Amino acid sequence: MSVTKKSILISGVGSNEGLGAAIARRFGREGYFVTIVGRNSEKLEATAEKLRSLGITVQVCVGDVTKNTDVEQFVEAAEKFCPITVAVHNAGGNNPNPFLSVSEESFTTHWREHTLGGFLLAQAVLPKFLTRSDGTILFTGASGSLRGKAKFSPFASAKGGLRNLAQSLAREFGPQNIHVGHVIIDGGIDGERLNTRAPELKEKRGIDGMLNIDAIADNYWVIHRQTRSAWTLEMDLRPWSENF
């Protein structure tokens, strides 16, 4: 009896101590083939080697999630590797600034990475899912998806746009058996990016005061594995001690 292989495409993967890599580990542990996408080839290759050491089958695609041609190439490469079952948009950074100091370039860069990147991935992968009447698209959100904090205007605008995109896609494609989910990460992530920028934060927050990347990834798996009689569109995750 033949077993149909499944795969996951994750955009916005960097360090092995980041959320994208944690999602790759979680799905890879379940036997999924993994395609990881990012701009930094050195980080991607290092992460891929760590994944392979765990017995995970993984390929690397280097490029820009804000460019349509790159995204189409990611999807085609993943499809040749193994038919895509899950696509995750996890890309995009944050550069806080007082509003009157925010440049047009900074504002549009946030929008392109978060909102446009999610749009392009969805447009590229949905035709594949529709031919199979099956698939899951997951978007990584943030506190800024729900509210605009002072000095976070570009990030909040972009994340709010991504959230609304996820809602629109869920309403259009859910009835066609495509599960769309939006995961709000409402707190600091215990990963390389934040620990490098604010090394004192982890000790200040205390035990389990930051979101564990592998615990977050567990929830991406849970959403994907839900039966369609009780699908989640949106899930919010935060540490037990986080104010909200």
Side-chain angles (χ1 to χ4, degrees):
M1 178 179 175
S2 64
V3 178
T4 302
K5 293 289 187 180
K6 298 181 178 182
S7 81
I8 180 170
L9 168 65
I10 309 165
S11 69
V13 179
S15 161
N16 187 58
E17 296 303 316
L19 177 55
I23 296 169
R25 281 194 297 275
R26 184 65 183 86
F27 281 76
R29 198 169 81 218
E30 302 293 338
Y32 279 58
F33 286 15
V34 177
T35 300
I36 55 175
V37 172
R39 289 179 295 189
N40 188 315
S41 60
E42 186 177 341
K43 280 189 175 182
L44 277 176
E45 290 295 347
T47 296
E49 283 307 306
K50 291 282 189 181
L51 293 169
R52 291 183 186 117
S53 73
L54 299 173
I56 295 169
T57 304
V58 58
Q59 71 168 341
V60 167
C61 290
V62 180
D64 189 342
V65 300
T66 71
K67 294 181 178 178
N68 183 49
T69 53
D70 282 11
V71 175
E72 288 179 347
Q73 288 173 5
F74 302 153
V75 170
E76 290 306 320
E79 278 283 303
K80 288 179 182 177
F81 188 46
C82 180
I84 304 171
T85 309
V86 187
V88 179
H89 178 68
N90 183 61
N94 182 21
N95 184 26
N97 255 317
F99 178 73
L100 295 179
S101 299
V102 174
S103 66
E104 180 181 344
E105 180 183 8
S106 175
F107 191 90
T108 54
T109 294
H110 282 78
W111 176 81
R112 290 183 66 82
E113 291 179 353
H114 294 281
T115 319
L116 180 63
F119 165 82
L120 292 175
L121 179 60
Q123 276 215 328
V125 79
L126 273 167
K128 311 293 185 185
F129 288 173
L130 289 170
T131 61
R132 298 189 282 266
S133 297
D134 185 42
T136 301
I137 306 177
L138 300 174
F139 299 98
T140 298
S143 307
S145 305
L146 302 176
R147 56 191 179 277
K149 187 178 178 182
K151 302 181 182 179
F152 280 66
S153 56
F155 183 74
S157 299
K159 282 297 190 187
L162 182 65
R163 184 189 186 211
N164 281 311
L165 172 67
Q167 291 178 359
S168 181
L169 294 179
R171 292 181 170 109
E172 183 172 351
F173 295 101
Q176 298 178 70
N177 203 41
I178 311 300
H179 189 181
V180 179
H182 179 247
V183 185
I184 297 172
I185 312 299
D186 190 15
I189 296 177
D190 186 8
E192 182 185 82
R193 181 181 292 182
L194 185 55
N195 287 330
T196 300
R197 291 181 178 178
E200 76 290 345
L201 193 59
K202 188 171 182 177
E203 183 176 354
K204 181 180 177 182
R205 295 282 176 88
I207 298 174
D208 293 330
M210 296 171 67
L211 286 136
N212 177 278
I213 53 174
D214 293 307
I216 298 171
D218 281 339
N219 284 284
Y220 281 68
W221 174 253
V222 167
I223 294 173
H224 169 56
R225 292 293 296 164
Q226 288 173 336
T227 136
R228 65 183 183 180
S229 69
W231 270 354
T232 291
L233 163 61
E234 188 162 84
M235 177 184 288
D236 56 341
L237 304 173
R238 66 184 63 85
W240 64 280
S241 58
E242 187 83 11
N243 291 324
F244 70 99

